[in-house]
Structures are given as C-alpha cells and as structure tokens.
C-alpha cells in the first residue's frame, strides 16, 4: 500500500530515480516521442545518474527526464538532455513535475546554470521551458539528424 501525505493528490506523479526495471518503459516512451530516439544502451549507461528521473502514475512509468551537471570553464553547468511524457499522459503536469525536480537535483549538485536544446518547431516544449524561466541563448543551425535547427535555452539558478 502506498501511503501519501495528505496534501498529495491521488493522481500526482511520483518522481524518483530511474532503475533498470524502468528502462523498457522509458525506451517505449522515447520511441513514441522522437523520430531519432536514443537506444536502450544510452539509457542503461545513465543509470545511477542523479538527474535521470522517472515519473510514475498508478505504478506505471509515464515519463522521464535525463539531466546531469558537468564542470565547464570553472562553472558547473546543468544540462537537461532528454525529457518525454507518454502520449496518453501529456498535458497533465507530468512534464512540469519532471522538469521541476530535475532543476532541483541539478541545483543540489552545484549547477549555477541549466541549459537545454529544443527543436525550433517544438512549440509545446518551448512553452514548457519558458514557464520555467528558460530563455533562448542562441541557435544551432542543423543540429538535429534531419537538419532542423536547435534553440539553446538557458536558465540561471539562484
Ligand atoms: C514536452 C513534454 C515533455 C511536456 O510534457 P507534459 O506532461 O505534456 O507537460 P505539462 O502537462 O506539464 O505541461 C506543461 C506546459 O507544456 C505546454 N503544453 C502542454 N500541453 C500542451 C499542448 N497540448 N499544446 C501546447 N502546449 C502544451 C504548456 O505550456 C503547459 O503548461 P500549461 O498546462 O500551464 O499551459 C511532452 O509534450 C512530450 O513528451 N513531448 C514529446 C517529447 C518532447 O518533445 N520532449 C522535449 C524535447 S526538447
């Protein structure tokens, strides 16, 4: 039986570290979300990374985020590398919950700035990121395998 805090709504996603048992569900969501999905091994290699999180709804993996912190030129730069929510669960706040927790994890690991790349055409994701105070920094022409441009967005942390 799952015991929930009184303020936690019944249908709030549980956000937790990814485990090996989650990977098939993660890859299935990845395949349903992207034309050029990451392979299983890419996620397998990231197990244990504090910023690799899944959202669980009613015992099922409904989404995930992959993020990490790397030292860059004397700073600690957080990077949200991949985020996706199962198509049946989009629009229910799961992406926001994952991004919020990811930013908190990156901050706890010393990141002073968080960056991400987003397809120029991905209005849904861009709206999500703007809500989390990410701002466009620059364009990376032809960044993706199909030659679409990426927008690099960043957010400074307190
Ligand atoms: C982007 C994605 C992760 C958002 O996840 P989600 O669980 O649907 O997001 P939320 O329900 O938390 O919504 C957060 C915000 O996203 C935007 N959004 C969500 N659904 C949307 C829709 N149907 N149309 C436009 N914007 C939408 C809104 O700004 C929304 O905030 P609001 O509800 O206050 O308006 C999800 O759409 C997804 O998996 N997309 C495919 C993979 C992808 O593109 N990943 C990003 C790669 S950079």
């Amino acid at each position: 039986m799952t015991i929930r805090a009184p303020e936690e709504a019944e249908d709030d996603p549980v956000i937790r570290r990814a485990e090996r048992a989650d990977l098939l569900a993660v890859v299935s969501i990845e395949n349903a979300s992207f034309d050029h999905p990451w392979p299983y091994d890419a996620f397998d290699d990231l197990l244990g990374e504090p910023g690799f999180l899944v959202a669980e709804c009613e015992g099922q993996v409904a989404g995930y985020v992959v993020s990490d912190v790397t030292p860059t030129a004397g700073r600690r730069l957080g990077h949200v590398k991949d985020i996706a929510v199962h198509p049946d669960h989009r629009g229910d706040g799961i992406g926001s919950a994952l991004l919020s927790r990811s930013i908190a994890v990156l901050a706890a690991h010393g990141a002073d700035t968080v960056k991400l790349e987003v397809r120029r055409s991905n209005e849904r994701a861009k709206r999500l990121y703007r809500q989390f105070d990410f701002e466009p920094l620059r364009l990376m022409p032809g960044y993706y395998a199909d030659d679409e441009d990426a927008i690099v967005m960043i957010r400074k942390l307190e």
Side-chain angles (χ1 to χ4, degrees), residues 83-85 90-96 122 124 127-129 131:
I83 180 169
V85 172
R90 290 181 193 159
D92 289 342
I94 295 172
S96 302
N122 195 343
R124 195 168 180 159
R127 254 169 76 175
L128 169 66
Y129 300 143
Q131 282 181 340

Side-chain angles (χ1 to χ4, degrees), residues 1-156:
M1 189 174 82
T2 305
I3 300 175
R4 292 173 180 273
E7 69 276 8
E8 193 179 353
E10 193 70 28
D11 54 1
D12 275 351
V14 173
I15 310 289
R16 59 168 174 77
R17 281 257 204 123
E19 299 166 4
R20 179 157 281 111
D22 301 320
L23 290 188
L24 288 179
V26 166
V27 169
S28 161
I29 296 169
E30 173 84 4
N31 289 337
S33 300
F34 299 106
D35 290 337
H36 301 277
W38 287 11
Y40 181 96
D41 286 351
F43 292 102
D44 196 34
D45 287 347
L46 288 158
L47 284 175
E49 181 66 57
F52 183 9
L53 306 169
V54 296
E56 200 180 84
C57 292
E58 295 172 354
Q60 304 287 327
V61 174
Y64 57 88
V65 61
V66 175
S67 55
D68 67 6
V69 181
T70 44
T72 307
R75 296 166 37 215
R76 290 182 66 77
L77 182 65
H79 189 190
V80 177
K81 298 174 159 181
D82 193 9
I83 180 169
V85 172
H86 189 288
D88 293 347
H89 289 280
R90 290 181 193 159
D92 289 342
I94 295 172
S96 302
L98 282 163
L99 188 58
S100 173
R101 185 68 68 83
S102 159
I103 292 166
V105 168
L106 297 176
H109 285 78
D112 53 29
T113 305
V114 181
K115 77 157 184 170
L116 53 81
E117 297 86 21
V118 60
R119 281 179 181 267
R120 201 172 184 166
S121 64
N122 195 343
E123 295 301 330
R124 195 168 180 159
K126 285 192 287 184
R127 254 169 76 175
L128 169 66
Y129 300 143
R130 280 197 296 266
Q131 282 181 340
F132 278 82
D133 299 326
F134 283 87
E135 293 180 353
L137 178 69
R138 63 191 155 92
L139 204 63
M140 294 177 74
Y143 177 81
Y144 293 101
D146 61 2
D147 217 29
E148 184 170 350
D149 301 341
I151 301 171
V152 179
M153 301 183 80
I154 62 160
R155 172 180 155 170
K156 294 221 182 310

